[in-house]
Coordinates of all heavy atoms in Angstrom, one line a residue:
I1 N 24.2 -0.7 22.7 CA 23.1 -1.7 22.7 C 21.9 -1.1 23.4 O 22.0 -0.8 24.5 CB 23.6 -3.0 23.4 CG1 24.9 -3.6 22.8 CG2 22.5 -4.0 23.3 CD1 25.4 -4.8 23.5
P2 N 20.7 -1.1 22.7 CA 19.5 -0.7 23.4 C 19.0 -1.8 24.3 O 18.9 -3.0 23.9 CB 18.5 -0.4 22.2 CG 19.0 -1.3 21.1 CD 20.5 -1.4 21.3
F3 N 18.6 -1.4 25.5 CA 18.1 -2.4 26.5 C 16.6 -2.4 26.5 O 15.9 -1.4 26.2 CB 18.7 -2.1 27.9 CG 20.1 -2.2 28.0 CD1 20.9 -1.2 28.7 CD2 20.9 -3.2 27.4 CE1 22.2 -1.3 28.9 CE2 22.2 -3.3 27.5 CZ 22.9 -2.3 28.3
S4 N 16.0 -3.5 27.0 CA 14.6 -3.7 27.1 C 14.1 -3.1 28.4 O 14.5 -3.6 29.5 CB 14.3 -5.2 27.0 OG 12.9 -5.4 27.1
R5 N 13.3 -2.1 28.4 CA 12.8 -1.5 29.6 C 11.3 -1.2 29.5 O 10.9 -0.7 28.5 CB 13.6 -0.2 29.9 CG 13.4 0.3 31.3 CD 14.2 1.6 31.6 NE 14.4 1.9 33.0 CZ 13.4 2.5 33.7 NH1 12.3 2.8 33.2 NH2 13.6 2.7 35.0
H6 N 10.6 -1.5 30.6 CA 9.2 -1.3 30.7 C 8.9 -0.1 31.6 O 9.5 0.1 32.7 CB 8.6 -2.6 31.2 CG 7.1 -2.5 31.4 ND1 6.4 -2.9 32.5 CD2 6.1 -2.1 30.5 CE1 5.1 -2.7 32.4 NE2 4.9 -2.2 31.2
E7 N 7.9 0.7 31.3 CA 7.6 1.9 32.0 C 7.2 1.6 33.5 O 7.4 2.4 34.4 CB 6.6 2.8 31.3 CG 5.2 2.1 31.2 CD 4.2 3.0 30.6 OE1 4.6 4.0 30.0 OE2 3.0 2.7 30.6
R8 N 6.6 0.4 33.7 CA 6.1 0.1 35.0 C 7.1 -0.8 35.8 O 7.3 -0.7 37.0 CB 4.7 -0.6 35.0 CG 4.2 -0.9 36.4 CD 2.8 -1.4 36.3 NE 2.7 -2.9 36.1 CZ 2.9 -3.8 37.1 NH1 3.2 -3.4 38.3 NH2 2.8 -5.1 36.8
L9 N 7.7 -1.8 35.1 CA 8.5 -2.8 35.7 C 10.0 -2.5 35.6 O 10.8 -3.3 36.1 CB 8.2 -4.2 35.1 CG 6.8 -4.7 35.2 CD1 6.6 -6.0 34.5 CD2 6.4 -4.8 36.7
G10 N 10.4 -1.4 34.9 CA 11.8 -1.1 34.8 C 12.5 -2.0 33.8 O 11.9 -2.5 32.8
F11 N 13.8 -2.3 34.0 CA 14.5 -3.2 33.1 C 14.0 -4.6 33.2 O 13.8 -5.2 34.3 CB 16.0 -3.2 33.4 CG 16.6 -1.8 33.1 CD1 16.9 -0.9 34.1 CD2 16.9 -1.5 31.7 CE1 17.5 0.3 33.8 CE2 17.5 -0.3 31.4 CZ 17.8 0.6 32.4
L12 N 13.7 -5.3 32.1 CA 13.1 -6.6 32.1 C 14.1 -7.7 32.1 O 15.2 -7.6 31.5 CB 12.3 -6.7 30.8 CG 11.1 -5.8 30.7 CD1 10.4 -6.0 29.3 CD2 10.1 -5.9 31.8
T13 N 13.8 -8.7 32.9 CA 14.7 -9.8 33.1 C 13.9 -11.1 33.1 O 12.7 -11.2 33.2 CB 15.4 -9.7 34.5 OG1 14.4 -9.6 35.5 CG2 16.3 -8.6 34.6
F14 N 14.6 -12.2 32.9 CA 14.0 -13.6 32.9 C 13.3 -13.9 34.2 O 12.2 -14.5 34.2 CB 15.2 -14.6 32.6 CG 14.8 -16.0 32.4 CD1 13.7 -16.4 31.7 CD2 15.6 -17.0 33.0 CE1 13.3 -17.7 31.6 CE2 15.3 -18.3 32.8 CZ 14.1 -18.7 32.1
C15 N 13.9 -13.6 35.3 CA 13.3 -13.9 36.6 C 12.7 -12.7 37.2 O 13.3 -11.6 37.2 CB 14.4 -14.5 37.6 SG 13.7 -14.9 39.2
P16 N 11.4 -12.8 37.7 CA 10.8 -11.6 38.2 C 11.4 -11.0 39.4 O 11.2 -9.8 39.8 CB 9.3 -12.1 38.5 CG 9.5 -13.6 38.6 CD 10.6 -14.0 37.7
T17 N 12.3 -11.7 40.1 CA 13.0 -11.2 41.3 C 14.0 -10.1 40.9 O 14.4 -9.3 41.8 CB 13.7 -12.3 42.1 OG1 14.7 -12.8 41.3 CG2 12.7 -13.4 42.5
N18 N 14.4 -10.1 39.7 CA 15.4 -9.1 39.2 C 14.9 -7.9 38.5 O 15.7 -7.1 38.0 CB 16.4 -9.9 38.3 CG 17.3 -10.9 39.1 OD1 17.7 -10.6 40.2 ND2 17.5 -12.0 38.5
L19 N 13.6 -7.8 38.4 CA 13.0 -6.7 37.6 C 13.4 -5.3 38.3 O 13.8 -5.3 39.4 CB 11.5 -6.8 37.6 CG 10.9 -7.9 36.8 CD1 9.4 -8.1 37.1 CD2 11.1 -7.6 35.3
G20 N 13.2 -4.3 37.5 CA 13.4 -2.9 38.1 C 14.8 -2.4 37.8 O 15.2 -2.2 36.7
T21 N 15.5 -2.2 38.9 CA 16.9 -1.8 38.8 C 17.8 -3.0 38.3 O 18.8 -2.7 37.7 CB 17.4 -1.4 40.2 OG1 17.4 -2.5 41.1 CG2 16.6 -0.2 40.8
T22 N 17.4 -4.2 38.6 CA 18.1 -5.4 38.4 C 19.4 -5.5 39.3 O 20.2 -6.4 39.1 CB 18.5 -5.7 36.9 OG1 19.6 -4.9 36.6 CG2 17.3 -5.4 36.0
I23 N 19.6 -4.5 40.1 CA 20.8 -4.4 40.9 C 20.8 -5.4 42.0 O 19.9 -5.6 42.8 CB 20.9 -3.0 41.5 CG1 21.2 -1.9 40.5 CG2 22.0 -3.0 42.6 CD1 22.6 -1.9 40.0
R24 N 21.9 -6.2 42.1 CA 22.2 -7.0 43.3 C 23.6 -6.6 43.8 O 24.6 -6.9 43.2 CB 22.2 -8.5 43.0 CG 22.4 -9.3 44.2 CD 22.3 -10.8 43.9 NE 22.4 -11.6 45.1 CZ 23.6 -12.0 45.7 NH1 24.7 -11.8 45.0 NH2 23.6 -12.7 46.8
A25 N 23.6 -5.9 44.9 CA 24.8 -5.4 45.6 C 25.1 -6.3 46.7 O 24.2 -6.5 47.6 CB 24.7 -4.0 46.0
S26 N 26.3 -6.9 46.8 CA 26.5 -7.9 47.8 C 28.0 -7.8 48.4 O 28.9 -7.3 47.8 CB 26.3 -9.3 47.3 OG 27.3 -9.6 46.3
V27 N 28.1 -8.4 49.6 CA 29.4 -8.5 50.2 C 29.5 -9.9 50.7 O 28.6 -10.6 51.1 CB 29.6 -7.6 51.4 CG1 29.7 -6.1 50.9 CG2 28.6 -7.8 52.5
H28 N 30.8 -10.5 50.6 CA 31.1 -11.7 51.4 C 31.6 -11.2 52.7 O 32.7 -10.5 52.7 CB 32.1 -12.5 50.6 CG 31.6 -13.4 49.6 ND1 32.3 -14.3 48.9 CD2 30.3 -13.4 49.1 CE1 31.5 -14.9 48.0 NE2 30.3 -14.4 48.1
I29 N 30.9 -11.5 53.8 CA 31.2 -10.9 55.1 C 31.4 -12.0 56.1 O 30.7 -13.0 56.1 CB 30.1 -9.9 55.5 CG1 30.5 -9.2 56.7 CG2 28.8 -10.7 55.6 CD1 29.5 -8.0 57.0
K30 N 32.4 -11.8 57.0 CA 32.7 -12.8 58.0 C 32.0 -12.4 59.3 O 32.4 -11.4 60.0 CB 34.3 -12.8 58.2 CG 34.7 -14.0 59.1 CD 36.2 -14.1 59.1 CE 36.7 -15.4 59.9 NZ 38.1 -15.5 59.9
V31 N 31.0 -13.2 59.7 CA 30.2 -12.9 60.9 C 30.0 -14.2 61.7 O 28.9 -14.7 61.8 CB 28.9 -12.2 60.5 CG1 29.1 -10.8 60.2 CG2 28.2 -13.0 59.4
P32 N 31.1 -14.8 62.2 CA 31.0 -16.1 62.9 C 30.1 -16.1 64.1 O 29.4 -17.1 64.4 CB 32.4 -16.4 63.3 CG 33.1 -15.1 63.3 CD 32.5 -14.3 62.2
N33 N 30.0 -14.9 64.8 CA 29.2 -14.9 66.0 C 27.7 -14.7 65.6 O 26.8 -15.4 66.2 CB 29.6 -13.7 66.9 CG 31.0 -13.9 67.5 OD1 31.2 -14.8 68.3 ND2 32.0 -13.2 67.0
L34 N 27.4 -13.8 64.7 CA 26.0 -13.5 64.4 C 25.4 -14.7 63.7 O 24.2 -14.9 63.8 CB 26.0 -12.3 63.4 CG 24.6 -11.7 63.0 CD1 23.8 -11.4 64.2 CD2 24.8 -10.5 62.1
S35 N 26.2 -15.5 62.9 CA 25.6 -16.6 62.1 C 25.5 -17.9 62.9 O 25.1 -18.9 62.4 CB 26.5 -16.8 60.9 OG 27.8 -17.1 61.2
V36 N 25.9 -17.9 64.2 CA 25.7 -19.1 65.0 C 24.3 -19.5 65.0 O 24.0 -20.7 64.8 CB 26.3 -18.9 66.4 CG1 25.8 -20.0 67.4 CG2 27.8 -18.8 66.5
D37 N 23.4 -18.6 65.2 CA 22.0 -18.9 65.1 C 21.5 -18.4 63.8 O 21.2 -17.2 63.6 CB 21.2 -18.1 66.3 CG 19.7 -18.6 66.3 OD1 19.2 -18.9 65.3 OD2 19.2 -18.5 67.4
Y38 N 21.5 -19.3 62.8 CA 21.3 -18.9 61.4 C 19.9 -18.3 61.2 O 19.7 -17.3 60.4 CB 21.5 -20.0 60.5 CG 21.4 -19.7 59.0 CD1 22.4 -19.0 58.4 CD2 20.3 -20.0 58.2 CE1 22.4 -18.6 57.0 CE2 20.2 -19.6 56.9 CZ 21.2 -18.9 56.3 OH 21.1 -18.6 55.0
T39 N 18.9 -18.8 61.9 CA 17.5 -18.3 61.7 C 17.4 -16.9 62.2 O 16.9 -16.0 61.5 CB 16.5 -19.2 62.5 OG1 16.6 -20.5 62.0 CG2 15.1 -18.7 62.4
K40 N 18.0 -16.6 63.3 CA 18.0 -15.2 63.8 C 18.8 -14.3 62.9 O 18.5 -13.1 62.7 CB 18.5 -15.1 65.3 CG 17.6 -15.7 66.3 CD 18.1 -15.4 67.7 CE 17.1 -15.9 68.8 NZ 17.6 -15.7 70.1
F41 N 19.9 -14.8 62.4 CA 20.7 -14.0 61.5 C 19.9 -13.6 60.2 O 19.9 -12.5 59.8 CB 21.9 -14.9 61.1 CG 22.9 -14.3 60.0 CD1 23.1 -12.9 60.0 CD2 23.6 -15.1 59.2 CE1 24.0 -12.4 59.0 CE2 24.4 -14.6 58.2 CZ 24.6 -13.2 58.2
E42 N 19.2 -14.6 59.7 CA 18.4 -14.3 58.5 C 17.3 -13.3 58.8 O 17.0 -12.4 58.0 CB 17.7 -15.6 58.0 CG 18.6 -16.4 57.0 CD 17.8 -17.4 56.3 OE1 16.9 -18.1 57.0 OE2 17.9 -17.6 55.1
Q43 N 16.7 -13.5 60.0 CA 15.6 -12.5 60.4 C 16.2 -11.1 60.6 O 15.5 -10.1 60.2 CB 15.0 -13.0 61.7 CG 14.2 -14.3 61.6 CD 13.7 -14.9 62.9 OE1 14.2 -14.5 63.9 NE2 12.8 -15.9 62.8
F44 N 17.3 -11.0 61.2 CA 18.0 -9.7 61.4 C 18.2 -9.0 60.0 O 17.9 -7.9 59.8 CB 19.3 -9.8 62.2 CG 19.9 -8.5 62.5 CD1 19.5 -7.7 63.5 CD2 21.0 -8.1 61.7 CE1 20.1 -6.5 63.8 CE2 21.6 -6.9 62.0 CZ 21.1 -6.1 63.0
A45 N 18.8 -9.8 59.1 CA 19.1 -9.3 57.8 C 17.8 -8.9 57.1 O 17.8 -7.8 56.4 CB 19.8 -10.3 56.9
A46 N 16.7 -9.6 57.2 CA 15.5 -9.3 56.6 C 14.9 -8.0 57.0 O 14.2 -7.4 56.2 CB 14.5 -10.5 56.8
T47 N 15.2 -7.6 58.2 CA 14.6 -6.3 58.7 C 15.2 -5.1 57.9 O 14.7 -4.0 57.9 CB 14.9 -6.1 60.2 OG1 16.3 -6.1 60.4 CG2 14.3 -7.2 61.1
Y48 N 16.3 -5.4 57.3 CA 16.9 -4.4 56.4 C 16.8 -4.7 54.9 O 17.5 -4.1 54.1 CB 18.4 -4.3 56.7 CG 18.7 -3.7 58.1 CD1 18.8 -4.5 59.2 CD2 18.8 -2.3 58.3 CE1 19.1 -4.0 60.5 CE2 19.0 -1.8 59.6 CZ 19.1 -2.6 60.7 OH 19.4 -2.1 61.9

């Protein structure tokens, strides 16, 4: 199957957040201590 790909935006998708590689690599991870302060947890994750 030929895929739709744009020279500037990569692989094209319905939502603009998924453009490019379209890759979403994820883990379900158990972090009960880090997630106690959810705001700080999100901020820490965002730095990466």
